[in-house]
Amino acid sequence: MLVYILKRVVLMIPTLFGVMVITFTITQFVPGGPVEKMIAQIEGFNKAGGEVRTESSGMYRGDSGLDSEKIDQLKRLYGFDQPPIKRFFAMMRSYVVFDFGTSYYYHQSVFDLVVSRMPVSMSLGLWSFFIVYGVCIPLGIRKAITDGSRFDLVSSSVILVGYAIPGFVLGVLLVVLFGGGSFWSVFPLRGLVSDNFHELSVGMQILDYLWHMVLPVTSGAVGSLAVMTMLTKNSFLEEIRKQYVLTARAKGLSEQQVLYKHVFKNGIIPIITGFPGYFIASFFTGSLLIETIFSLQGMGLLAYESVLNRDYPVVLGTLYFFTIIGLICRLLSDLSYVVVDPRISFESVDA
């Protein structure tokens, strides 16, 4: 087992390096980089090529271009005066110690920027995680036991309709219905907490936070309910139809004993093995559309704005960090097979 883990950890290094090489190479060919954006800003041009005035002098400078010396200064400012290969390896040396540099757009440390956006993504991800696993596992087991019944058909219809509705469409619908859009003003629409959050008592702060989470978490979790529920149902249904279940019943065991002493430990394996990766990913993932609809400053919106503004330190820094997280999640998911099913062994792989 230890040899297998070491092999996987060693293989993470070239995988991570390859991801960073490909992404860094792509950024070199994308037009409108930070130097070009700063030149256009100084020269007084907006994105559409229209006439604007600089904030410093208030004068129109559309006819005045920058000389080569000024352009070279801007390149040195952003580090683009060095060859791409040299810049890449300098970047990777910093990333090894998790120094992601400073954002071009936000003008603050990338690490601090990610930490400031993390509470939103963690709130959305963790609550969605608990709801999905808390609802889907018992619902999926019940559907497997009552396969073909009216309950099974009705519940399948409901969750499939929820799956067919995109999260952002459901979010807009919830805003219209319960956010004061056209009908009832029941739930708040902006941020994680109210403006007077610090003036509230501890109990009211908890209620205020939970009240703010209802609509965005509902919008994000509904789509995942169908996938996890059907996965649970199919896994348990496959086990129920196996020969050992018929044998257990023939021995006189009750349905509860058959289900929880035999079927459960085998049927739950596909669901539990995805638990570590899903749980860790819930801390860092973000949904751009959900965050935009509900005015939440999370990781999804940060990623979108960084790409749009060519904020390469944020794009590459967060990609490096989340790639490591993704590789670790994959390793934990594989190891969880051994934990929940002793029949699986990596000794043959180690050999």
Side-chain angles (χ1 to χ4, degrees):
M1 174 67 74
L2 180 60
V3 176
Y4 173 79
I5 295 175
L6 291 176
K7 285 182 179 180
R8 289 289 300 269
V9 172
V10 171
L11 287 174
M12 289 181 185
I13 298 175
T15 303
L16 178 62
F17 186 82
V19 170
M20 297 307 298
V21 167
I22 294 174
T23 308
F24 183 84
T25 303
I26 292 174
T27 61
Q28 304 308 301
F29 297 98
V30 176
V35 175
E36 290 82 357
K37 290 177 73 68
M38 182 58 70
I39 291 175
Q41 198 174 36
I42 293 175
E43 291 181 345
F45 283 97
N46 57 15
K47 292 181 181 179
E51 173 182 338
V52 298
R53 299 182 182 275
T54 58
E55 295 179 0
S56 59
S57 63
M59 297 176 60
Y60 172 66
R61 300 187 59 185
D63 294 334
S64 62
L66 292 178
D67 54 33
S68 58
E69 183 178 352
K70 296 288 186 181
I71 295 177
D72 291 338
Q73 289 179 357
L74 289 176
K75 289 182 178 180
R76 285 194 297 271
L77 175 65
Y78 290 105
F80 285 88
D81 58 324
Q82 301 294 330
I85 295 180
K86 186 175 181 179
R87 286 190 283 114
F88 174 77
F89 283 102
M91 178 189 74
M92 293 302 296
R93 283 194 296 269
S94 299
Y95 283 7
V96 169
V97 294
F98 293 96
D99 178 11
F100 301 129
T102 303
S103 168
Y104 296 154
Y105 183 73
Y106 296 98
H107 305 292
Q108 66 179 107
S109 167
V110 173
F111 182 82
D112 294 339
L113 186 61
V114 171
V115 170
S116 67
R117 299 294 186 97
M118 200 70 74
V120 171
S121 297
M122 289 177 60
S123 295
L124 294 176
L126 285 177
W127 282 114
S128 297
F129 170 83
F130 289 129
I131 290 174
V132 168
Y133 270 86
V135 172
C136 294
I137 292 180
L139 178 60
I141 295 175
R142 176 69 185 280
K143 287 174 63 62
I145 296 174
T146 60
D147 181 49
S149 66
R150 177 176 297 181
F151 171 81
D152 181 40
L153 296 176
V154 172
S155 59
S156 295
S157 301
V158 172
I159 63 174
L160 289 177
V161 168
Y163 177 74
I165 301 176
F168 70 94
V169 175
L170 179 60
V172 173
L173 179 62
L174 292 176
V175 168
V176 172
L177 292 177
F178 303 109
S182 299
F183 295 92
W184 305 282
S185 180
V186 180
F187 296 100
L189 298 179
R190 298 182 61 86
L192 289 177
V193 293
S194 300
D195 294 335
N196 62 337
F197 179 78
H198 297 289
E199 301 174 3
L200 303 174
S201 63
V202 176
M204 292 303 297
Q205 286 180 344
I206 295 175
L207 290 177
D208 181 75
Y209 164 74
L210 294 176
W211 207 239
H212 279 76
M213 284 290 97
V214 171
L215 295 187
V217 170
T218 302
S219 303
V222 168
S224 301
L225 290 175
V227 176
M228 188 61 65
T229 300
M230 299 309 296
L231 174 63
T232 304
K233 176 191 173 181
N234 292 334
S235 177
F236 275 80
L237 194 60
E238 181 181 359
E239 294 297 323
I240 290 174
R241 292 172 176 173
K242 288 185 177 179
Q243 184 64 41
Y244 74 88
V245 175
L246 297 177
T247 304
R249 287 171 176 168
K251 290 181 178 180
L253 295 180
S254 65
E255 288 297 321
Q256 295 294 323
Q257 291 176 317
V258 172
L259 178 63
Y260 292 106
K261 292 184 64 175
H262 298 278
V263 175
F264 186 83
K265 64 181 181 180
N266 294 323
I268 202 66
I269 290 176
I271 293 90
I272 295 299
T273 51
F275 185 95
Y278 193 7
F279 181 76
I280 295 178
S282 65
F283 283 88
F284 307 103
T285 55
S287 173
L288 167 63
L289 295 174
I290 299 299
E291 292 172 8
T292 301
I293 292 171
F294 296 100
S295 300
L296 298 171
Q297 297 292 322
M299 294 302 301
L301 193 59
L302 175 64
Y304 173 74
E305 291 175 345
S306 301
V307 173
L308 193 65
N309 293 295
R310 306 294 190 268
D311 197 350
Y312 296 149
V314 177
V315 173
L316 296 172
T318 53
L319 176 67
Y320 175 87
F321 180 66
F322 292 145
T323 301
I324 293 177
I325 296 298
L327 293 172
I328 294 175
C329 289
R330 183 60 62 87
L331 176 59
L332 291 176
S333 296
D334 291 343
L335 295 178
S336 63
Y337 277 100
V338 179
V339 175
V340 300
D341 190 355
R343 297 172 297 178
I344 298 177
S345 174
F346 292 118
E347 291 180 0
S348 59
V349 179
D350 296 341

